Amino acid sequence: MRSEREMMDLILGTAEEDNRIRAVWMNGSRANPKAKRDKLQDYDIVYAVTDVDSFRANRNWIDRFGKRVIMQVPNPSPWQIENNAVTYLMQFEDVNRIDLNLVPVERIPEIMETTESLTEVLLDKDERLPELPPSSDRDYLVTRPTEEEFLATCNEFWWVTPYVAKGLWREEVLYAKGVLEGPLRNALMQLLDWSVAIEHDFNITTGKFSKDLSNLLDRETWNRLKDTFPTANIDSIWQALESMGDLFHDVAQSCAQQLGFHYNEDEEKRVRHYITRIKNNEI
């Protein structure tokens, strides 16, 4: 496997040798001084170039980055269309991966105005790039909710819960699991993010898909969270739904108390009584 130094030399060497590439910056976890380094981290790279179309017309130039397992050139987003940008997502056989974006040099001022806080300038041939603050994860910190946001998340959780029960009563396993792992879990994870952020005065990020919760939650809560992931079995999904409700209740109560918010227990009680009726076929 090529080392980080070898990869960076390749990325920057390509830019230095090609007169069309005028600036390079890096985003993502490799630009995050707090991120744990490992072999599977992507290289999120941006090349600012004088002629995007010339790169787009001939893809052979990217072969220099290594032998690929697979590559994706996503359908352009509205932002890419507007900015005449192109993306090459490249997974290499030696485990390295580069997500390479090409943008026109004339768009640099606009792009830099909204660039993420995890941005590290690597090369600036013409001194076009503005002076940026040190790269940090400040854009990804869990933000303190308003009481309205907190109550809306709680309401979403209990509003969606009967959908799962309905799917289970109908024996629609895929529907029930889809709702449970979609909007219901999203609400629970948002609540858990808030709960750990409270302990860190909202100066923390939990990572993509809240992946860092495994290290931030206490062991009991972490184990309870794992219990909310069911198999594709109706009884298992019922158990997961009830475990999820119990966990949501305890975390919501704690968050409300610490944030000085109200938690609508009556709403929860009505919903839990209702889904019990569905489970017991008392409808």
Side-chain angles (χ1 to χ4, degrees):
M1 180 181 180
R2 290 168 294 177
S3 68
E4 181 177 19
R5 184 67 269 158
E6 288 175 304
M7 292 300 294
M8 293 304 296
D9 286 345
L10 175 59
I11 290 165
L12 287 174
T14 298
E16 289 165 350
E17 294 168 15
D18 194 321
N19 196 48
R20 296 171 298 173
I21 303 172
R22 307 310 300 169
V24 184
W25 60 90
M26 180 166 63
N27 303 124
S29 64
R30 286 190 180 272
N32 185 355
K34 295 181 181 178
K36 181 180 177 181
R37 291 286 189 266
D38 66 38
K39 297 177 181 179
L40 296 178
Q41 280 181 298
D42 303 342
Y43 292 86
D44 296 309
I45 303 296
V46 182
Y47 282 171
V49 304
T50 57
D51 185 1
V52 174
D53 289 338
S54 66
F55 287 96
R56 186 187 284 116
N58 180 7
R59 292 184 183 176
N60 292 337
W61 70 276
I62 60 177
D63 292 343
R64 66 178 293 141
F65 292 113
K67 193 169 183 180
R68 299 185 295 273
V69 175
I70 190 171
M71 180 175 76
Q72 185 178 81
V73 181
N75 291 329
S77 66
W79 182 90
Q80 288 174 309
I81 294 172
E82 180 183 352
N83 289 283
N84 189 29
V86 62
T87 298
Y88 300 99
L89 308 177
M90 298 174 284
Q91 176 64 62
F92 303 103
E93 287 187 352
D94 70 349
V95 182
N96 282 299
R97 169 175 162 165
I98 299 177
D99 291 353
L100 179 62
N101 289 280
L102 304 184
V103 300
V105 290
E106 59 267 22
R107 294 290 189 178
I108 285 177
E110 301 161 53
I111 293 170
M112 283 292 128
E113 281 183 7
T114 57
T115 191
E116 60 181 271
S117 62
L118 289 174
T119 299
E120 180 182 348
V121 174
L122 303 178
L123 180 66
D124 185 6
K125 294 179 180 179
D126 309 310
E127 298 185 353
R128 293 173 181 262
L129 299 178
E131 185 174 348
L132 299 176
S135 181
S136 76
D137 61 2
R138 60 186 176 277
D139 285 352
Y140 300 90
L141 299 178
V142 180
T143 57
R144 181 185 295 271
T146 63
E147 186 165 17
E148 182 180 8
E149 290 170 333
F150 172 77
L151 290 173
T153 297
C154 295
N155 176 260
E156 172 71 0
F157 182 89
W158 294 112
W159 169 256
V160 175
T161 295
Y163 284 65
V164 183
K166 177 171 63 175
L168 293 172
W169 184 83
R170 291 173 173 169
E171 298 186 356
E172 296 171 342
V173 172
L174 296 181
Y175 173 85
K177 279 207 73 176
V179 177
L180 185 140
E181 297 299 353
L184 199 65
R185 188 166 300 284
N186 290 342
L188 174 63
M189 301 309 287
Q190 176 65 83
L191 195 70
L192 289 168
D193 282 354
W194 285 334
S195 74
V196 299
I198 289 171
E199 303 299 326
H200 293 83
D201 196 27
F202 290 91
N203 188 31
I204 194 170
T205 174
T206 60
K208 195 169 186 178
F209 298 116
S210 302
K211 62 184 177 65
D212 294 333
L213 284 181
S214 59
N215 299 316
L216 295 169
L217 293 171
D218 62 82
R219 287 302 90 189
E220 179 186 357
T221 304
W222 172 243
N223 288 330
R224 291 180 67 187
L225 175 59
K226 290 192 292 183
D227 287 340
T228 68
F229 290 88
T231 64
N233 173 278
I234 287 178
D235 289 338
S236 176
I237 301 171
W238 269 119
Q239 181 58 55
L241 181 64
E242 292 168 1
S243 296
M244 192 178 282
D246 292 342
L247 178 58
F248 192 92
H249 168 88
D250 291 345
V251 177
Q253 287 274 34
S254 176
C255 286
Q257 182 178 7
Q258 294 181 80
L259 293 169
F261 294 164
H262 167 71
Y263 176 61
N264 192 341
E265 283 196 74
D266 289 338
E267 182 175 71
E268 174 189 336
K269 289 177 180 177
R270 291 192 300 271
V271 171
R272 299 191 81 155
H273 177 69
Y274 176 72
I275 66 170
T276 299
R277 287 172 52 206
I278 293 177
K279 182 181 181 182
N280 296 333
N281 205 23
E282 297 172 352
I283 55 175

